[in-house]
């Protein structure tokens, strides 16, 4: 939904769609021309707010080509994906070293995370060592505890990010 530039106080980008359109002809130098650069040095390929594209419109070959160019240009790549697995995202999952699944502390989120990781195991062949679960907005006093996640996901690394709605809202605004 093109919200990452807003979170980082950057203007809307249009590099992602343009890079996908030219993916087969890009190299490690050219790809950096499509990226926005944050003041801390992070490069981001973002879509503009009005650049909506259906996953069905993206050829898997273009995604493969774009990921290959990104691999040659950058040491670390983070891909922000929707909580959906389709032909496009499965191509990306294949190339990832680590999949970070962000969840929250509720029974429903725990169940959704369980379903998602089952799909990752059974249909994408991801092993536990390639998965990291991050419990966002973690509250030590919650009825659903970290131990519940550890019990549900043995062998998967779990991290927490404390809940601080006021600071997060202040930071985003």
């Amino acid at each position: 939904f093109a919200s990452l530039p807003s979170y980082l106080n950057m203007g809307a980008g249009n590099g992602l769609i343009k890079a996908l359109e030219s993916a087969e002809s890009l190299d490690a130098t050219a790809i950096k021309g499509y990226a926005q650069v944050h003041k801390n040095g992070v490069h981001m390929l973002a879509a503009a707010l009005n650049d909506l594209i259906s996953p069905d419109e993206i050829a898997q070959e273009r995604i493969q080509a774009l990921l290959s160019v990104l691999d040659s240009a950058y040491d670390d790549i983070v891909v922000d994906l929707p909580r959906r697995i389709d032909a496009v995202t499965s191509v990306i999952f294949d190339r990832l070293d680590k999949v970070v699944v962000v969840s929250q502390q509720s029974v429903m989120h725990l169940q959704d995370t369980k379903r998602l990781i089952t799909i990752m195991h059974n249909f994408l062949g991801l092993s536990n060592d390639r998965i990291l679960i991050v419990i966002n907005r973690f509250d030590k006093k919650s009825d659903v505890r970290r131990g519940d996640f550890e019990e549900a996901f043995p062998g998967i690394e779990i991290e927490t990010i404390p809940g601080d709605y006021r600071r997060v809202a202040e930071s985003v605004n």
Side-chain angles (χ1 to χ4, degrees), residues 149-170:
F149 278 82
E150 290 168 346
E151 184 179 317
F153 305 106
I156 295 179
E157 182 182 0
I158 298 173
E159 296 291 337
T160 61
I161 298 175
D164 192 342
Y165 179 80
R166 186 183 58 70
R167 277 196 189 160
V168 170
E170 182 180 302

Side-chain angles (χ1 to χ4, degrees), residues 50-87:
N50 58 352
D51 277 348
L52 296 177
I53 187 167
S54 164
D56 297 335
E57 297 177 53
I58 304 170
Q60 292 179 20
E61 296 78 25
R62 286 181 186 240
I63 293 171
Q64 290 281 17
L66 181 59
L67 289 171
S68 292
V69 172
L70 290 168
D71 276 342
S72 68
Y74 298 100
D75 293 332
D76 297 304
I77 302 165
V78 176
V79 181
D80 183 23
L81 293 173
R83 197 171 206 124
R84 173 186 72 241
I85 296 177
D86 55 24

